[in-house]
């Protein structure tokens, strides 16, 4: 027999803040039930039944395809915040402490667009016990192997069937009588990714900012760390804190330490894809992640960061220049992609085009001009716009018969790497605005390969400038606001309402 907390029945709200407060109350009650049961289980108690707690849900009912306030410009031009037509729409919710501001905005837009009440209640979707642990809990380590094995009889464990990406992929079809989704991700899928982010980046999800830079070289991270500490030494900096793996916090000069800062400890070794965060008070700072080499890493990290609903992510990395006219150190602004990475072929078929996004392209081009002071023909000389090919074969140039080279020539590719197409394709799939600015570090088709001396000189020359261009692009995007950034180009016919 299930051992459940007291049931909280669904209630309706016409105030988004009140609806969010109820989400918090339900979530906190359910998590407290799981944590209490887990502590008793670790202490050796026999619990009175199978322990279960469930996520809160939010639901709306609409009777018309019409929106209530299309004449209001600041609402009407948004590409999210409304459902596609009449019906019942629902999603489970998690971590209101982390997503509270996001949920509040989605609730507000739904109410304004459809002039309906929100219904908040307790869903039937169990919360896996692993997702109930607090940030620094390590409870399982206190149990014997036999007791850990019995956990599956006493608690709900993660169910992969409840956290797939069918909604985001456009393949999900609700059964007759089931509600249509309000969000790309169920609560369980979000919780799963939050756990993975902590593992892969070595930092807590709540540090992540709304603008993300990816790189495939540690040199860029070293420079980002230097700039981060430089910003913290400036009492007039717009950034308030810098976070490094292990949740090590450096506050801006003049600001007091916050509760929990003392818990940060540098890890004995860096995690697989270390994350660094330059914080602004409004969460619109910059997160930078070294994803390492290869499309598998690129897909992995973007699969998980996507649940945080960032405003944009941009790839800054090195590439092979494929044109004889290019010079080492030239920039490539991707306006199209050849997807030979293969890691997303099942989720996003190759016949789906991955378009360049005007807002990102303009920001990146202007950032190159601002940082390099190049204009007109000089700008075109150092930055080429064109197709970027991404491959899953690091030694593609050694394949016999010049087959890759012929395909890349037919595609009009100007550069090649292993991550950019994956990051852009996952941005398209998850409706996260994306862009790519690469720097030519070698030209293997023309005899210019990376040699140690040349590579070190190149890194010293270009990394600082390239990173500053990426940061400048984010400043420009931030100044433009998110209304234009989250465009309809990334949204499907019958899109979910949540951003």
């Amino acid at each position: 027999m299930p051992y459940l907390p007291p049931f909280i029945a669904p209630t309706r709200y016409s105030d988004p803040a009140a609806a969010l407060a109820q989400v918090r109350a339900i979530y906190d009650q359910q998590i407290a039930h799981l944590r209490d049961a887990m502590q008793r289980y670790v202490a050796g108690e026999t619990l009175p039944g199978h322990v279960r707690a469930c996520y809160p849900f939010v639901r709306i009912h609409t009777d018309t395809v019409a929106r209530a306030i299309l004449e209001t410009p600041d609402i009407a031009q948004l590409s999210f915040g409304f459902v596609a037509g009449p019906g019942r729409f629902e999603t489970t919710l998690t971590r209101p402490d982390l997503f509270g501001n996001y949920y509040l905005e989605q609730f507000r837009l739904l109410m304004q667009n459809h002039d309906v009440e929100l219904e908040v209640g307790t869903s039937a979707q169990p919360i896996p016990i692993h997702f109930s642990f607090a940030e620094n809990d390590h409870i399982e380590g206190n149990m014997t192997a036999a007791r850990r094995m019995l956990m599956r009889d006493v608690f709900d464990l993660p169910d992969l069937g409840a956290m797939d990406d069918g909604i985001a992929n456009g393949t999900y079809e609700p059964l007759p009588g089931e509600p249509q989704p309000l969000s790309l991700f169920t609560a369980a899928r979000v919780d799963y990714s939050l756990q993975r982010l902590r593992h892969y980046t070595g930092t807590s999800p709540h540090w992540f900012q709304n603008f993300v830079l990816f790189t495939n070289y540690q040199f860029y991270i070293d420079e980002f760390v230097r700039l981060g500490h430089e910003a913290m030494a400036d009492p007039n900096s717009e950034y308030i804190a810098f976070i490094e793996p292990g949740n090590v916090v450096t506050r801006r000069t003049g600001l007091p330490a916050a509760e929990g800062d003392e818990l940060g400890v540098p890890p004995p070794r860096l995690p697989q894809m270390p994350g660094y965060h330059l914080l602004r008070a409004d969460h619109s700072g910059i997160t930078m992640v070294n994803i390492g080499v290869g499309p598998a890493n690129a897909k992995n990290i973007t699969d998980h960061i996507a649940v945080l609903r960032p405003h944009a992510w941009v790839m800054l990395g090195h590439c092979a220049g494929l044109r004889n006219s290019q010079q080492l150190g030239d920039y490539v602004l991707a306006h199209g992609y050849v997807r030979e990475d293969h890691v997303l072929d099942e989720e996003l078929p190759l016949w789906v085009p991955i378009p360049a996004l005007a807002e990102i392209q303009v920001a990146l081009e202007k950032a190159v001009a601002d940082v390099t002071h190049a204009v007109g023909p000089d700008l075109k000389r150092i930055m080429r716009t064109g197709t970027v090919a991404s491959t899953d074969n690091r030694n593609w140039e050694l394949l016999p018969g010049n087959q890759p080279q012929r395909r890349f020539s037919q595609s009009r590719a100007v550069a090649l790497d292993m991550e950019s197409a994956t990051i852009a394709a996952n941005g398209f799939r998850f409706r996260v605005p994306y862009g790519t600015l690469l720097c030519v570090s070698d030209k293997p088709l023309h005899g210019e390969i990376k040699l140690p001396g040349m590579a070190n000189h190149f890194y010293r020359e270009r990394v600082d400038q390239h990173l500053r261009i990426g940061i400048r692009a984010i400043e420009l995007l931030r100044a433009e606001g998110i209304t234009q950034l989250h465009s309809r180009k990334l949204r499907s016919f019958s899109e979910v309402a949540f951003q």
Side-chain angles (χ1 to χ4, degrees):
M1 184 175 180
Y3 173 44
L4 301 164
F7 178 68
I8 299 179
T11 48
R12 294 179 180 272
Y13 296 91
S14 56
D15 173 30
L20 177 60
Q22 183 70 350
V23 170
R24 292 184 191 275
I26 294 173
Y27 182 80
D28 290 347
Q29 178 218 33
Q30 302 290 311
I31 291 297
H33 174 71
L34 288 178
R35 290 179 179 174
D36 175 72
M38 187 64 184
Q39 289 171 357
R40 292 164 58 189
Y41 182 79
V42 171
E45 285 189 41
T46 299
L47 298 173
H50 183 89
V51 179
R52 174 157 294 175
C54 295
Y55 290 107
F57 73 81
V58 63
R59 174 190 298 149
I60 70 165
H61 298 261
T62 61
D63 299 320
T64 175
V65 69
R67 292 166 59 186
I69 50 172
L70 280 175
E71 69 276 7
T72 306
D74 65 326
I75 300 295
Q77 63 183 329
L78 290 177
S79 62
F80 57 89
F82 55 91
V83 297
R88 179 164 59 102
F89 298 83
E90 181 180 314
T91 190
T92 49
L93 305 171
T94 188
R95 292 293 304 276
D97 60 309
L98 181 62
F99 293 101
N101 291 336
Y102 170 77
Y103 288 155
L104 187 63
E105 178 67 2
Q106 309 313 305
F107 292 177
R108 182 184 70 84
L109 291 172
L110 282 171
M111 289 180 170
Q112 290 183 340
N113 274 304
H114 298 289
D115 194 23
V116 295
E117 292 182 318
L118 296 180
E119 186 178 353
V120 175
T122 308
S123 76
Q125 180 62 53
I127 302 175
I129 186 62
H130 298 77
F131 299 163
S132 71
F133 296 167
E135 180 79 23
N136 296 296
D137 282 350
H138 302 285
I139 294 175
E140 289 186 64
N142 300 323
M143 293 187 290
T144 65
R147 190 105 175 126
R148 284 198 302 271
M149 181 65 69
L150 289 174
M151 278 182 62
R152 67 188 61 195
D153 296 330
V154 181
F155 298 96
D156 290 305
L157 303 187
D159 176 11
L160 295 178
M163 56 183 77
D164 66 44
D165 282 333
I167 301 171
N169 293 345
T171 58
Y172 173 77
E173 294 185 5
L175 297 174
E178 285 187 342
Q180 298 181 67
L182 272 176
S183 174
L184 293 177
F185 304 107
T186 63
R189 169 67 167 85
V190 172
D191 274 340
Y192 176 75
S193 283
L194 297 181
Q195 297 286 332
R196 296 289 83 199
L197 284 174
R198 187 180 296 113
H199 170 75
Y200 284 118
T201 70
T203 55
S204 172
H206 76 265
W207 297 124
F208 277 74
Q209 300 294 287
N210 277 324
F211 294 92
V212 183
L213 294 175
F214 295 115
T215 188
N216 51 7
Y217 277 92
Q218 182 63 28
F219 297 93
Y220 286 83
I221 295 296
D222 294 341
E223 186 63 20
F224 190 67
V225 170
R226 187 186 71 78
L227 293 174
H229 285 287
E230 186 179 275
M232 294 305 97
D234 178 5
N236 298 314
S237 172
E238 63 184 313
Y239 299 102
I240 61 172
F242 184 64
I243 316 300
E244 301 174 67
N247 297 312
V248 176
V249 181
T250 303
R251 297 283 171 184
R252 189 183 68 199
T253 296
L255 294 180
E259 183 180 356
D261 285 3
E262 73 282 357
L263 299 176
V265 178
R269 63 191 65 83
L270 284 177
Q272 183 175 341
M273 290 180 275
Y276 301 78
H277 314 276
L278 198 50
L279 274 59
R280 279 172 54 106
D282 61 358
H283 221 63
S284 66
I286 304 171
T287 285
M288 190 165 197
V289 181
N290 179 5
I291 62 175
V293 176
N297 277 1
K299 178 183 183 298
N300 188 5
I301 197 65
T302 48
D303 278 352
H304 301 312
I305 290 180
V307 306
L308 299 174
R309 309 316 297 143
H311 294 324
W313 58 43
V314 174
M315 175 66 187
L316 300 179
H318 293 167
C319 66
L322 299 181
R323 302 303 179 94
N324 196 37
S325 58
Q326 291 170 303
Q327 304 295 319
L328 299 187
D330 284 356
Y331 295 111
V332 174
L333 177 58
H335 74 186
Y337 301 90
V338 176
R339 293 171 51 203
E340 295 207 356
D341 52 329
H342 301 302
V343 292
L344 280 166
D345 292 0
E346 292 183 32
E347 288 94 343
L348 194 68
L350 288 173
W351 51 260
V352 176
I354 310 299
L357 303 181
E359 296 80 7
I360 305 284
Q361 300 296 98
V362 169
L364 284 170
E365 182 172 346
K366 188 175 189 311
V368 174
D370 287 352
V371 173
T372 65
H373 305 294
V375 296
D378 290 337
L379 181 61
K380 295 179 72 68
R381 179 179 55 81
I382 65 168
M383 185 188 74
R384 185 156 186 166
T385 302
T387 298
V388 170
S390 290
T391 178
D392 58 358
N393 184 348
R394 177 59 187 85
N395 296 312
W396 59 273
E397 60 265 56
L398 301 182
L399 291 173
N402 294 324
Q403 292 180 13
Q405 296 151 24
R406 185 180 301 116
R407 291 196 303 275
F408 299 149
S409 177
Q410 290 170 328
S411 71
R412 311 302 192 264
V414 299
L416 181 139
D417 77 346
M418 298 186 69
E419 301 86 21
S420 294
T422 309
I423 288 171
N426 241 7
F428 181 89
R429 183 165 75 108
F430 291 130
R431 289 75 160 171
V432 176
Y434 52 86
T436 301
L437 183 72
L438 302 176
C439 190
V440 176
S441 61
D442 63 342
K443 295 168 58 183
L445 298 184
H446 306 96
E448 295 187 56
I449 61 174
K450 290 179 188 173
L451 298 175
M454 294 169 56
N456 291 337
H457 176 73
F458 166 76
Y459 295 141
R460 287 194 301 270
E461 289 274 316
R462 272 291 181 264
V463 166
D464 174 70
Q465 184 183 82
H466 194 184
L467 178 58
R468 288 181 183 275
I469 290 170
I471 293 173
R472 177 58 181 154
I474 285 176
E475 293 171 350
L476 294 169
L477 292 170
R478 184 193 298 137
E480 285 293 316
I482 67 167
T483 300
Q484 297 297 321
L485 196 53
H486 292 287
S487 71
R488 291 176 174 83
K489 289 189 286 290
L490 295 182
R491 300 180 74 82
S492 62
F493 296 166
S494 298
E495 191 60 61
V496 299
F498 279 23
Q499 176 249 314

